[in-house]
Amino acid sequence: MENNQNFTIGLDFGSDSVRAILTDCSDGKMISSSSCRYPRWQAGKYCDLATSRFRQHPLDYLESMTKVVREVLAGQNPAAVRGIGIDTTGSTPCAVDCNGVPLALNERFTDDPDAMFVLWKDHTALPEAEEILQKAKSSSVDYTRYEGGSYSPEWFWAKYLHILRHNPAVREACAGFVEHCDWIPAELTASPVRTGRCAAGHKAMWHPDWNGYPPESFFTSIDPLFRGRVDTLDKETFTPDNPVGKLSAKWAGIFGLSTDVVVAGGILDCHSGAVGAGIRPGQLVKVVGTSTCEIVVAPEVDRCIPGICGQVDGSVLPGMTGLEAGQSAFGDIYSWFIRFLSYAGEVDFQKLEADAARQSPGCVLALDWHNARRTPFANPFLTGAIGNLTLGTTVPMVYRGLIEATAFGAKRIVEHFIQEGFPVDSILAVGGIPKKSPLVMQICADVLNMNIQIVDTDECCALGGAIFAAVASGVFPDVAKASAVMAAKTGNSYTPDADMSKIYAGLYRKYLACADAVESLISAGM
């Protein structure tokens, strides 16, 4: 190996596993990659599907991270590694002690779910989210206006309040609440937590208009348990092209790296994926996995955009406003259906997809709200639905109907961006499903009536982290120059079938009518 090589590591902490890539900064080529499923999560520990409780132990992150970093470095030149970049799911925060250590790493709390990271899709804080939203709407300042005008149980303050209310022991020991994407860089560098702008802006109502977070008086008017909590958070935030610090001696020894390796600031996974895909204004990057995130960037946004999941300067690209939307469940809906079918025995997924491809469009009409609706216009009280059933309805028909429902949900998001003045001239798809399911992607192209280009890497989110690491460590002067060299190229693409798009246009109108009817019934207390 040559000593003048510049490598960076991208770490992508997903819902089920962590992935690492080792990247050559000279051309963006992925030298090696590794993934590891979280062992406790795989065993179903600390989760309860019936109550939408999804918790992850910090040891799952630390142990799995150790494994994948060592594996990507095997046989490589560790002296060439300049930086490490991190992305995580979010909002996935955790109660920490006065030293910033997650409480679950204390023996007293090692098996207490409330002392662990509260995964993004945990909906136990539904009442708290509604209280925060109602208080914001009745306040002199609507602190949700840069969050799309809503507040979700998937987000920071709702989760924080839920933990404070429901676990006195954790509440007493908790000195603060920290996002996963901010904790990992602090852990790797043995530094104080530096607050990432991405998670703070999109999930925690941080904004310069009110000098950081909403004032403590806003939160204590919701619940006095918030007293003294807001001031524990740093009002200054950082974009992920900035270094947090250098690798600590502890982690340098564990990984087999130098203490000169720079660790970049953390970012949410979908935003990192958009950078890995080389996002530009006019593009919509669709990060497709258990849920979806749709990311758009714009150089100037002079108003608050309703119905989305936040608009934050620098949350994706420095100097641009990042706008986020998404579906709370996408691949999770398909996984739910497989689990549902498995009650009767093992399911042949490949056969199910092949059989579903032969079904006619619209044989089953469904709604994609199995984990509520994120955008447009978040409503955490909504639930999924399957209709148009007859005694002749088959399993492949239902499965196709669920795929069509997720595509219709995606169309609503694209239409919303366009209606709000953000033209979408191209769509890039990132994630496992775009690479693995031609049926899903073709239906999406037909429903959207737009060409969808598949980003030609399995590790786009980790690649975004590697790009930020290259900037934070000084290999490149800025993200634009790093992305020009390192961002992924596009591969396969899906072109809409004109005849199918006409059929789906009519079915989409039925989907919207059904959605309105079901939402009205749920709102009326059905």
Side-chain angles (χ1 to χ4, degrees):
M1 290 284 184
E2 296 179 10
N3 291 328
N4 62 354
Q5 289 176 312
N6 292 315
F7 295 166
T8 55
I9 293 172
L11 280 169
D12 170 34
F13 290 84
S15 297
D16 301 317
S17 62
V18 62
R19 292 163 289 280
I21 62 171
L22 182 67
T23 306
D24 189 334
C25 298
S26 67
D27 57 8
K29 179 182 178 182
M30 187 170 68
I31 300 165
S32 58
S33 66
S34 175
S35 66
C36 178
R37 291 184 176 274
Y38 308 131
R40 295 164 187 81
W41 174 261
Q42 283 297 110
K45 290 187 175 183
Y46 314 120
C47 298
D48 180 12
L49 272 66
T51 60
S52 293
R53 187 185 76 191
F54 299 97
R55 309 293 167 84
Q56 293 184 329
H57 202 290
L59 286 177
D60 265 358
Y61 300 146
L62 298 179
E63 293 167 0
S64 301
M65 174 177 66
T66 298
K67 181 176 184 293
V68 296
V69 172
R70 286 174 171 172
E71 287 181 352
V72 296
L73 290 171
Q76 304 300 327
N77 177 18
V81 177
R82 308 294 177 226
I84 299 174
I86 294 103
D87 73 78
T88 76
T89 67
S91 179
T92 301
C94 182
V96 298
D97 65 17
C98 59
N99 296 313
V101 177
L103 294 185
L105 294 179
N106 182 311
E107 185 177 354
R108 177 186 174 196
F109 296 108
T110 190
D111 287 316
D112 189 334
D114 291 336
M116 299 173 190
F117 283 88
V118 185
L119 190 65
W120 63 270
K121 67 180 179 179
D122 186 298
H123 278 195
T124 53
L126 183 60
E128 288 79 9
E130 186 64 14
E131 289 177 57
I132 292 170
L133 177 61
Q134 294 308 316
K135 178 59 66 174
K137 295 305 180 187
S138 63
S139 298
S140 58
V141 176
D142 182 357
Y143 294 106
T144 69
R145 68 178 187 239
Y146 291 105
E147 313 273 356
S150 64
Y151 208 75
S152 167
E154 297 179 359
W155 296 351
F156 183 88
W157 292 107
K159 295 175 187 289
Y160 199 173
L161 182 55
H162 181 81
I163 298 299
L164 293 175
R165 281 178 170 175
H166 289 82
N167 195 315
V170 168
R171 180 175 69 236
E172 181 180 352
C174 171
F177 221 48
V178 174
E179 283 284 359
H180 185 194
C181 61
D182 295 335
W183 174 65
I184 290 290
E187 167 66 24
L188 289 179
T189 57
S191 311
V193 168
R194 296 190 79 187
T195 303
R197 183 172 302 171
C198 183
H202 284 283
K203 312 301 179 184
M205 296 187 287
W206 178 94
H207 198 273
D209 277 8
W210 36 85
N211 192 33
Y213 300 96
E216 183 179 78
S217 58
F218 168 78
F219 292 105
T220 55
S221 69
I222 299 168
D223 195 311
L225 290 176
F226 271 130
R227 185 165 290 112
R229 301 284 176 177
V230 180
D231 289 340
T232 66
L233 299 173
D234 193 345
K235 293 181 180 180
E236 186 177 9
T237 61
F238 301 88
T239 54
D241 53 325
N242 288 286
V244 170
K246 293 185 177 181
L247 204 59
S248 70
K250 168 189 168 182
W251 282 101
I254 290 172
F255 292 155
L257 290 171
S258 164
T259 53
D260 288 331
V261 172
V262 172
V263 178
I267 185 173
L268 297 179
D269 53 356
C270 54
H271 302 72
S272 184
V275 173
I279 191 171
R280 59 166 176 77
Q283 281 183 330
L284 181 145
V285 175
K286 185 176 182 65
V287 184
V288 187
T290 54
S291 66
T292 74
C293 280
E294 277 80 1
I295 303 295
V296 169
V297 295
E300 292 183 9
V301 181
D302 58 2
R303 62 190 178 88
C304 296
I305 309 304
I308 61 173
C309 297
Q311 55 188 86
V312 182
D313 289 342
S315 66
V316 182
L317 294 176
M320 291 196 182
T321 298
L323 300 102
E324 177 191 345
Q327 293 163 270
S328 294
F330 197 94
D332 263 353
I333 295 177
Y334 313 151
S335 296
W336 162 79
F337 190 58
I338 297 300
R339 290 197 307 273
F340 184 82
L341 295 178
S342 66
Y343 184 80
E346 187 175 351
V347 178
D348 185 336
F349 181 72
Q350 298 301 322
K351 183 176 186 301
L352 178 60
E353 284 240 328
D355 290 344
R358 290 190 285 269
Q359 307 306 311
S360 299
C363 48
V364 166
L365 183 64
L367 296 179
D368 55 314
W369 295 340
H370 292 57
N371 201 25
R373 185 179 68 219
R374 185 181 292 162
T375 47
F377 301 100
N379 188 333
F381 297 99
L382 297 179
T383 56
I386 302 174
N388 205 33
L389 302 178
T390 72
L391 293 177
T393 301
T394 65
V395 167
M397 289 179 179
V398 176
Y399 183 62
R400 184 178 182 112
L402 292 172
I403 295 174
E404 291 169 348
T406 55
F408 291 144
K411 185 176 178 70
R412 286 191 74 178
I413 292 171
V414 172
E415 284 190 341
H416 186 70
F417 274 124
I418 294 172
Q419 289 165 3
E420 291 296 331
F422 298 94
V424 176
D425 57 45
S426 64
I427 296 177
L428 301 179
V430 172
I433 291 175
K435 300 279 285 186
K436 296 174 183 176
S437 180
L439 175 62
V440 171
M441 299 317 300
Q442 186 60 56
I443 288 176
C444 283
D446 292 341
V447 168
L448 292 167
N449 197 21
M450 292 184 69
N451 186 62
I452 300 177
Q453 294 178 295
I454 310 302
V455 177
D456 195 18
T457 177
D458 293 328
E459 305 296 354
C460 207
C461 295
L463 179 57
I467 289 171
F468 284 121
V471 179
S473 63
V475 177
F476 290 98
D478 55 50
V479 175
K481 287 184 172 60
S483 295
V485 175
M486 298 178 66
K489 307 299 186 289
T490 56
N492 191 21
S493 65
Y494 290 87
T495 302
D497 179 286
D499 292 335
M500 292 295 285
S501 291
K502 289 178 181 178
I503 294 171
Y504 277 127
L507 292 172
Y508 178 62
R509 289 191 291 272
K510 291 184 178 180
Y511 166 88
L512 294 176
C514 180
D516 288 344
V518 170
E519 187 164 6
S520 296
L521 286 172
I522 291 175
S523 298
M526 179 187 72

